[in-house]
Amino acid sequence: MARRDYDVIVVGAGAAGLTAAIAAADAGAGVLLVEADTRLGGSSRLSGGHFYAAGTSLQAKAGVDDSADAMFEHYMTLNQWMVEPSVVRRYCDESAPTFEWLMEQGVTFPSAGLYPSGVGSTPRGHMPQGAGEEVVQVLEGQVSSRPIDVVLQSRVSELITDARGEIEAIRIGEDTATCGALVMATGGFGANPEMLKKYYPDSQQADDWRWYIGTEGAQGDGITLGENIGAGIDGHNRGLLLVTPGFSRDLEVLLPGWLILVNQAGRRFTSESAPYTVLGGLIQKQAGPVYAIFDEAARQAAAPSDISRAYWVDEVLEKQADTGRIIRSDSIAALCETAGINAAAMAGTIKSYNEDCSAGEDRAFFKQPTSTMRSIETAPFYAVEVRPAIVCWTGTGLRINANAEVLSTSEAPIGGLFAAGETVGSLHGDRYVGGGGSFGPCIVFGKIAGENAARYAHARNNE
C-alpha cells in the first residue's frame, strides 16, 4: 500500500475540530487540520463556551447530586425521544469525563460559573472564565504543542473514496491530500441562506428580520461534502431561534418582566420569563403575530439592565414608537384595532394581569421574578411585535452513531468518515436542552471522533 500523507485529516477548526485534532494526535496519529477561514476557532470563538454536563467535579464541590442517567432522562424527555438515543446516551456518559479533560488542558471553569442551564432546575451549565474565546485559545495552544500540521484559508471541495467506499483523500482546489480517516467538523450553515431555506424552513418565518450570530464561514460544507458521498442527514428543521423585536442586530435574548406577550386572540400564552430555549417555539405555535404589550409608566421606567441595553430601554422604545415601529395608542381598544388583536379578550387579559400585579404573583403563568411585574394602566399603551429571528445554531447535519461514525443512507458507517460539532444532526431535537447543549457535544464528540479516527487509520495501516 502506498504511504498516505496523513493518518487523520480534520476538516474545520472550531471547538470540535481542534479537539478532534488533539485527540487524534494523542492517539498516535499524524494529523492535518484544515480550516477555510483566516484563523482557527470558527463560531466557537464567538460563543459563550458553556459546557452542559452531569456528574462533574464542580457539581460535586457545590453539593449537586447529578448523574449521566438523570441527564439522559431529562434530555430524552424534553425532546420527546425524537433524537438518536444511543448518541444522546454517549454524550451524557462522556460529558463529565470530557469536561474534566478540558479543564486538564487548561480551560478554567470557576465554581461560580455553575448554573441551571435551559429547561430544568439541576445546575448542568458550566461557564468558562473567558467564554468561547478562552476555550479556543487553550485548544489552539494544545494544537501548537503537538506535531499537527495546520493549513488556513483552504476550503475542501471534495471527499475522495476508494473502490470500497472508504475515505481516501480530500481535494482543495487542484491539490489532494490522502488519509486513513477523516473528521468532518465544519460547523453549521447559519450563514448560508439557501441551506437555511432547505434544512431549516422554520427560520424563514422571520422574513428579513433573520440574522445569524456566528461567522460567515458557517456555510454547511460538511453536509454538502458528506451528501456527495452518500452520507445520511438527520435533524431536519432543527436549530435554535432567539426572540427579538427586530430594532437592531444586538444579541439580547431575555425579555423584561414588565411586559406581557399576547397573541392575536388577545391572550397570554406563556410566562414572559420562559427559557430562551423554548420561547421561540412557543411563539411560532401561535396563529399570527405575537406582541409585547406595556404602558407608558413601564416605558419611562425601562432603564438599561443586564437583560437589555439595546432594545427594552426608555429612549429606544420612544424612538421606535415615534418612527411607527412600535404601535402607540391612547387606549387599549385603539391599540388592538391597529395591531389586529381581539380587543375584548385583551381587556380581560390585562384586567387579570393587573390583579396579579396587585397580588404580587402571576397566578396564570408563574412569571419570575414577580418583583419586575408592572400593571398596564397608564396611557399611552404600546404593542411591539416580537419574532424568533436570531439564528443561534443549526441542528440539521450528518447522521452519526455513538462512535461518531458517519452513517450512509443505507444505514452503514462510511469507512473512515467521522463527524463532530454542529456538523452533526443526530443529537438535537425540537427544543434546545440549555446553555452548553451545543458547545458541550462539540468537545465530547470531537474527542470521540479524533480517537476513533486515529484507531481506524491505524487499522488500515496494518492491513
Side-chain angles (χ1 to χ4, degrees):
M1 173 182 288
R3 189 177 186 279
R4 299 183 179 92
D5 296 321
Y6 295 93
D7 295 317
V8 174
I9 294 177
V10 179
V11 183
L18 291 168
T19 300
I22 294 166
D26 286 352
V31 180
L32 171 65
L33 178 60
V34 181
E35 170 58 47
D37 207 344
T38 58
R39 64 190 302 207
L40 304 179
S43 295
S44 297
R45 193 182 289 276
L46 305 177
S47 75
H50 297 196
F51 199 124
Y52 190 86
T56 67
S57 57
L58 259 66
Q59 287 179 312
K61 189 183 299 184
V64 176
D65 183 15
D66 197 14
S67 67
D69 288 343
M71 178 176 164
F72 177 73
E73 180 181 7
H74 172 73
Y75 198 118
M76 297 302 294
T77 301
L78 178 67
N79 286 292
Q80 302 175 71
W81 284 73
M82 293 189 294
V83 287
E84 293 274 359
S86 61
V87 178
V88 174
R89 182 77 236 192
R90 188 71 185 275
Y91 171 49
C92 296
D93 288 343
E94 298 296 332
S95 65
T98 309
F99 173 78
E100 306 300 333
W101 173 87
L102 188 59
M103 288 201 296
E104 290 169 3
Q105 305 311 302
V107 179
T108 302
F109 287 89
S111 297
L114 180 66
Y115 70 105
S117 170
V119 182
S121 58
T122 302
R124 294 193 179 111
H126 297 70
M127 184 189 310
Q129 187 166 281
E133 178 71 31
E134 179 194 355
V135 179
V136 168
Q137 288 180 356
V138 168
L139 294 176
E140 277 186 297
Q142 294 295 335
V143 165
S144 65
S145 70
R146 291 164 170 80
I148 298 172
D149 289 345
V150 178
V151 294
L152 299 173
Q153 296 180 274
S154 301
R155 187 174 293 277
V156 175
S157 56
E158 184 183 1
L159 303 184
I160 301 171
T161 56
D162 64 14
R164 297 189 300 182
E166 294 181 277
I167 292 293
E168 181 76 5
I170 61 170
R171 177 169 285 119
I172 302 173
E174 299 299 318
D175 299 323
T176 61
T178 58
C179 61
L182 183 142
V183 177
M184 190 63 68
T186 56
F189 53 89
N192 187 324
E194 291 306 312
M195 291 193 78
L196 284 171
K197 188 181 300 183
K198 179 179 179 180
Y199 293 115
Y200 196 8
D202 275 359
S203 68
Q204 305 304 296
Q205 296 179 29
D207 297 326
D208 58 357
W209 288 33
R210 187 188 68 244
W211 61 282
Y212 173 56
I213 66 173
T215 67
E216 283 302 309
Q219 296 292 326
D221 291 13
I223 296 175
T224 302
L225 292 168
E227 278 190 306
N228 287 343
I229 61 168
I233 304 298
D234 207 355
H236 179 70
N237 201 26
R238 294 189 177 161
L240 178 59
L241 294 171
L242 305 176
V243 176
T244 175
F247 302 155
S248 59
R249 293 194 169 186
D250 290 282
L251 183 60
E252 296 179 353
V253 301
L254 301 178
L255 299 176
W258 43 259
L259 55 75
I260 62 171
L261 293 178
V262 300
N263 54 26
Q264 285 195 295
R267 295 178 53 188
R268 289 176 75 202
F269 55 90
T270 183
S271 163
E272 293 75 21
S273 64
Y276 70 88
T277 60
V278 300
L279 186 57
L282 289 168
I283 289 174
Q284 286 189 317
K285 291 291 185 183
Q286 307 308 304
V290 165
Y291 291 92
I293 307 295
F294 53 95
D295 70 357
E296 176 66 7
R299 185 201 66 77
Q300 290 183 3
S305 67
D306 292 339
I307 289 178
S308 182
R309 295 184 179 275
Y311 297 152
W312 308 105
V313 293
D314 53 350
E315 297 91 348
V316 174
L317 295 170
E318 183 175 32
K319 178 181 177 181
Q320 295 296 330
D322 288 343
T323 63
R325 178 68 183 77
I326 296 177
I327 300 171
R328 177 169 54 196
S329 298
D330 289 332
S331 70
I332 293 296
L335 189 78
C336 290
E337 182 177 358
T338 303
I341 298 171
N342 183 302
M346 174 75 108
T349 293
I350 291 178
K351 180 177 183 294
S352 296
Y353 184 72
N354 288 348
E355 290 171 353
D356 284 356
C357 288
S358 297
E361 60 177 324
D362 181 2
R363 290 171 288 201
F365 291 99
F366 311 106
K367 173 162 60 176
Q368 297 295 327
T370 55
S371 60
T372 62
M373 293 171 59
R374 297 184 65 105
S375 59
I376 302 171
E377 52 191 0
T378 305
F381 302 97
Y382 298 87
V384 54
E385 186 181 356
V386 295
R387 297 179 186 176
I390 304 173
V391 179
C392 184
W393 59 268
T394 53
T396 307
L398 301 178
R399 187 175 176 215
I400 63 168
N401 61 20
N403 294 319
E405 296 174 292
V406 175
L407 301 178
S408 70
T409 54
S410 60
E411 295 293 296
I414 296 175
L417 183 59
F418 301 81
E422 204 173 342
T423 309
V424 168
S426 304
L427 190 65
H428 302 292
D430 287 341
R431 295 294 170 260
Y432 188 49
V433 70
S438 175
F439 199 91
C442 288
I443 308 296
V444 168
F445 284 102
K447 190 168 183 291
I448 291 170
E451 291 169 347
N452 287 340
R455 188 175 297 114
Y456 193 96
H458 291 158
R460 292 183 76 181
N461 291 340
N462 294 326
E463 288 178 348

